[in-house]
Amino acid sequence: MRWLRFAVLILAVTVLQKGLLARWSSKPDLLIILLVFFSIYCNTSEAIISSFTIGFAADLVGSPMPMGPQMISFGLFGTLLAYLNRVIAIKRMPFQALAIFVTSVLTGFLTHLLAYITGEPIPSNIYIVVLVTSVYSSIVGPFLFLPIAWWMRIKVNRYRR
Amino acid sequence: MARKQTKVSRRMLFTWFMLTGLIFLFTPQTLTSKFQLAFVHVFRWPLSIGADLALTAQTRQTLTDAPGRSETQYLNYIASLEETLDQQRRKFAKLYKLYNTYVWEGTDFALADVIPATVGGARNELTISCRKTNGLVKDHFVLGDECIIGTISDVFPQISKARVALVTDPASKIRVKIAGLAGLKYIMKGSGNNSAKVEMVKNEVKVGQNVFALKKPGFLDAPMIVGKVSECKRNQKYPALWDLTVVPACDVGQLEDVAVIIMNPQK
């Protein structure tokens, strides 16, 4: 894993998510797409590190939510996906889209549940926001895997067990 | 000498990161929000560029008379200067209008620039960059396009930033009255979907009626428009009562600057 490239990519995507995409009400979650990408195409240890790091980045731009919920939920489901990928290879685009959708829904709900534990209110439109973001992410995500793989110098056909 | 490589098991790695996450989760938000503000502060330039690009794309502007490459640097300099002057004129006009309104006599205003707004998601907030943070405290009302858009939720004087909880944020609760329902006061709660709710209203209200934030001693001296009724439907539990959906009176996503109302400023 090229960690410097990883850091630059995460930083750029985080700024993009908070800056350019922030004004659109319905948007894909680019950080979830990255989470699924690294869980699928990296070995398990790298997937664990990258999942928690992406979660930390999501927390940084997740204000006014407190820090921590996204780091935990991204880390947990990223790790689970990496282990799942050792059993079922997620190589085809429809499966990747499904993986993004499911991961996005699960992380979304766990994030708000954890935030609720710390005293944050749960918005009434939580289901719609999470589902719409998940659908957008799953549509856009598989198409972004190729440029991400190019930047990270990862062969997308590579599959480690 | 061969380099010794320490190998950490996956289980340990996962446990360490999970612990870090839990520490962040249970650390008081006043401390952890400094990380979030520091990120916005450090990357304010690319963030604002992104926001500007988004605004341009949304308004679908066409640059038919864009200057060519042959323009001299002096022309560019003059253009920038004229734009700055125009911006200052607009700010002055805005402040002049506010200071010369009868109800705002003795009130101070802090003009602030808006750093990308998050209005469509689960939480609704703004981060504002304000040169003058003196006298700015939590719960101060914030004006945007001549209407109340929210209240100050955090002030960070070290980096001249403050956070605004919009009236549509689920954590927001504001005392309001509805035009046409004289004498009745209600609580308007944000519902997160760029809208707010007023529940258990005794009478049916027409769509489009104005909703006013009630005066709050020390924070707001006169009622101010906060939104408009966009939907009125019967309460599911008590069908004799009505639930209102209120949308902000201005498009918060398009705001570039706001004014914070500082009642009884320190001289």
Side-chain angles (χ1 to χ4, degrees), chain B residues 27-229:
Chain B
T27 305
Q29 207 183 343
T30 46
L31 292 174
T32 54
S33 62
K34 282 179 183 163
F35 284 101
Q36 295 169 326
L37 253 294
F39 182 85
V40 172
H41 184 65
V42 171
F43 293 100
R44 60 189 181 282
W45 181 71
L47 285 174
S48 60
I49 284 181
D52 289 347
L53 276 173
L55 268 178
T56 312
Q58 280 178 338
T59 48
R60 289 175 193 162
Q61 288 172 341
T62 49
L63 291 170
T64 48
D65 54 350
R69 280 189 167 181
S70 58
E71 295 280 345
T72 64
Q73 58 176 335
Y74 293 111
L75 278 175
N76 289 337
Y77 177 71
I78 290 165
S80 302
L81 214 57
E82 278 175 349
E83 183 55 32
T84 310
L85 187 66
D86 191 43
Q87 187 183 312
Q88 292 305 320
R89 272 198 197 120
R90 282 201 301 268
K91 276 190 177 176
F92 178 77
K94 207 174 265 184
L95 279 174
Y96 182 82
K97 209 165 137 190
L98 288 168
Y99 279 119
N100 286 281
T101 309
Y102 172 70
V103 290
W104 299 126
E105 214 169 275
T107 306
D108 203 1
F109 297 93
L111 279 188
D113 293 321
V114 175
I115 298 173
T118 312
V119 291
R123 297 297 303 270
N124 291 184
E125 66 140 18
L126 289 178
T127 306
I128 56 171
S129 178
C130 192
R131 281 188 189 172
K132 187 174 76 175
T133 51
N134 282 355
L136 230 65
V137 292
K138 194 171 180 267
D139 291 337
H140 267 156
F141 282 89
V142 182
L143 282 176
D145 283 351
E146 301 290 320
C147 68
I148 297 286
I149 58 159
T151 53
I152 296 283
S153 58
D154 283 304
V155 183
F156 303 90
Q158 303 91 338
I159 51 171
S160 305
K161 301 271 185 303
R163 196 177 280 159
V164 180
L166 299 178
V167 290
T168 53
D169 188 90
S172 164
K173 282 180 188 172
I174 292 182
R175 287 178 71 236
V176 294
K177 71 172 184 181
I178 297 144
L181 303 180
L184 298 171
K185 292 162 189 173
Y186 298 97
I187 299 287
M188 186 175 85
K189 292 178 194 167
S191 52
N193 189 20
N194 199 24
S195 65
K197 294 257 180 224
V198 182
E199 290 174 335
M200 309 277 197
V201 177
K202 285 179 182 169
N203 305 83
E204 189 178 2
V205 179
K206 280 182 192 167
V207 170
Q209 284 284 35
N210 291 332
V211 179
F212 297 91
L214 285 171
K215 64 179 186 179
K216 188 177 174 185
F219 292 96
L220 191 66
D221 258 6
M224 280 220 72
I225 186 166
V226 68
K228 285 176 187 294
V229 176

Side-chain angles (χ1 to χ4, degrees), chain A residues 11 14-15 18-20 22-25 27 44-45 48-49 52 56 59-69 71-72 75-76 79 83 86 112 114 117-118 120-126 129, chain B residues 10 13-14 17-18 20-22 24-26 29 32 35-36 39-40 43 46-47 50-51 53-55 57-58 114 116-123 125 163 169-171 191-193 253-255:
Chain A
L11 209 58
T14 309
V15 168
K18 178 73 177 173
L20 190 63
R23 286 188 190 258
W24 274 282
S25 55
K27 53 186 175 277
T44 317
S45 300
I48 293 171
I49 298 169
F52 279 99
F56 179 75
D59 271 331
L60 276 180
V61 291
S63 105
M65 280 230 285
M67 284 194 74
M71 189 175 175
I72 293 171
L76 184 67
T79 307
Y83 275 104
R86 292 170 69 180
H112 284 93
L114 289 170
I117 290 169
T118 59
E120 280 289 304
I122 289 196
S124 57
N125 62 334
I126 175 76
V129 170
Chain B
R10 286 171 199 152
L13 207 59
F14 181 79
F17 276 118
M18 197 53 104
T20 314
L22 287 169
F24 271 120
L25 185 66
F26 291 108
Q29 207 183 343
T32 54
F35 284 101
Q36 295 169 326
F39 182 85
V40 172
F43 293 100
L47 285 174
L53 276 173
L55 268 178
Q58 280 178 338
V114 175
T118 312
V119 291
R123 297 297 303 270
E125 66 140 18
R163 196 177 280 159
D169 188 90
S191 52
N193 189 20
Q254 303 290 329
L255 287 178

Side-chain angles (χ1 to χ4, degrees), chain A residues 1-3 38-47 81-91 152-161, chain B residues 10:
Chain A
M1 178 86 144
R2 293 162 193 255
W3 291 107
F38 288 110
S39 297
I40 292 175
Y41 291 112
C42 293
N43 66 40
T44 317
S45 300
E46 289 169 352
L81 187 65
Y83 275 104
L84 181 73
N85 189 50
R86 292 170 69 180
V87 184
I88 311 161
I90 306 165
K91 279 184 177 177
M152 290 303 298
R153 303 287 187 267
I154 290 174
K155 287 177 185 164
V156 282
N157 291 328
R158 191 183 67 176
Y159 176 60
R160 292 184 191 175
R161 271 181 191 263
Chain B
R10 286 171 199 152

